[in-house]
Amino acid sequence: MTESDSELAATDTEVRQFEQQRWQRPPGATEILMVRHGASQAFVPGEPFPMLGTQGDPPLAPKGHTQAAMAARRLATEPIDALYVTSLQRTQQTFEPLARQLAMTPTVEPDLREVALGEWDGGRIRQFAADNHPLYVKLHTERRWDVIPGAETNEQLTHRCMTALERIADAHPDQLIGACVHGGVIGAVLAHIVDASPFSFGGADNCSISQIVRCDGEWMMRRFNDCSHLDDHLHHG
């Protein structure tokens, strides 16, 4: 047997092994970390939030600033290429500490603003939720925002948010993006991506992180409501 024959025989007897591999962003894909803004100021009946157009625009509460600092510590070591915020000040204030650490100026994307709540905007929805208002119950039973008089439809919210995310993805192939958005936006986007029923991804915590990726024109979800930088416990009840 020649030396080459011996090498071939040894190769034939080797056991091939295939280890599990961690996910990596595919070439050309865009990865977006959606961060819900920090806790905003409390609503006091008779004292509606300041408005930006037809939408409530409260600033962060002290707790929200603390959450924003914690989120910044979590994200500052990630290789983020660009930051986006919405036109509402609570998202801009949430990303202030991260933007300082990364020496970046966030881009404002108005179409990622929170769902328009019509007659319940300006903070009123919080009171109706606490009082278990019949219309609030109906909103969750039917899973439709437009149960509220004058509110956006699910379809309107999803369309404007996905259109904005498509623009961001088109502008940032092969990049990691941080986007500070709103709970309603996160819920609508993730339900659309995984083809779930509306409100399936409600309840994202303030300053939690959800992760989506667009590759070859298709979106996928990688993460929802990651709060490991905010709390050591999985259960919040």
Side-chain angles (χ1 to χ4, degrees):
M1 181 180 292
T2 65
E3 184 177 346
S4 60
D5 289 337
S6 298
E7 291 176 351
L8 181 60
T11 301
D12 287 342
T13 61
E14 290 178 359
V15 177
R16 300 178 70 192
Q17 299 184 50
F18 302 91
E19 296 183 1
Q20 289 187 319
Q21 301 294 321
R22 289 199 66 179
W23 178 88
Q24 293 184 334
R25 186 175 69 232
T30 303
E31 192 174 352
I32 301 178
L33 302 175
M34 296 190 297
V35 181
R36 189 186 178 193
H37 61 80
S40 58
Q41 75 174 38
F43 172 70
V44 178
E47 299 178 15
F49 293 150
M51 303 293 286
L52 182 66
T54 60
Q55 288 185 277
D57 190 25
L60 291 185
K63 180 180 180 181
H65 285 287
T66 299
Q67 293 167 333
M70 297 169 78
R73 284 195 294 271
R74 171 81 183 279
L75 295 172
T77 57
E78 299 292 335
I80 294 173
D81 296 290
L83 296 176
Y84 282 79
V85 294
T86 78
S87 48
L88 300 173
Q89 64 173 326
R90 53 195 182 273
T91 64
Q92 299 169 22
Q93 292 174 350
T94 297
F95 261 9
E96 279 179 2
L98 179 61
R100 284 197 303 269
Q101 292 189 53
L102 298 180
M104 291 181 179
T105 300
T107 299
V108 176
E109 175 46 79
D111 281 342
L112 289 178
R113 68 191 181 278
E114 183 59 294
V115 56
L117 295 173
E119 293 181 10
W120 284 16
D121 224 317
R124 296 182 67 203
I125 191 171
R126 297 188 189 179
Q127 181 179 357
F128 291 133
D131 294 342
N132 209 31
H133 189 286
L135 203 55
Y136 185 80
V137 174
K138 183 178 180 181
L139 174 127
H140 285 277
T141 300
E142 298 189 7
R143 300 188 175 206
R144 294 191 301 111
W145 288 111
D146 62 346
V147 164
I148 302 170
E152 276 186 290
T153 66
N154 295 349
E155 293 76 16
Q156 288 170 331
L157 172 64
T158 299
H159 180 265
R160 70 168 166 84
C161 291
M162 293 308 302
T163 299
L165 290 172
E166 291 286 350
R167 285 197 297 266
I168 292 172
D170 287 343
H172 298 282
D174 285 311
Q175 291 188 333
L176 174 64
I177 307 303
C180 191
V181 295
H182 306 266
V185 171
I186 293 170
V189 166
L190 296 186
H192 174 76
I193 289 174
V194 304
D195 196 24
S197 59
F199 293 25
S200 293
F201 293 92
D205 290 307
N206 292 112
C207 275
S208 65
I209 301 169
S210 297
Q211 180 183 16
I212 57 176
V213 181
R214 193 190 72 169
C215 180
D216 295 330
E218 299 293 330
W219 288 95
M220 63 179 292
M221 183 182 79
R222 290 279 303 158
R223 187 185 309 258
F224 170 61
N225 201 46
D226 182 343
C227 297
S228 56
H229 51 293
L230 303 171
D231 200 326
D232 293 332
H233 304 285
L234 293 177
H235 179 63
H236 297 260

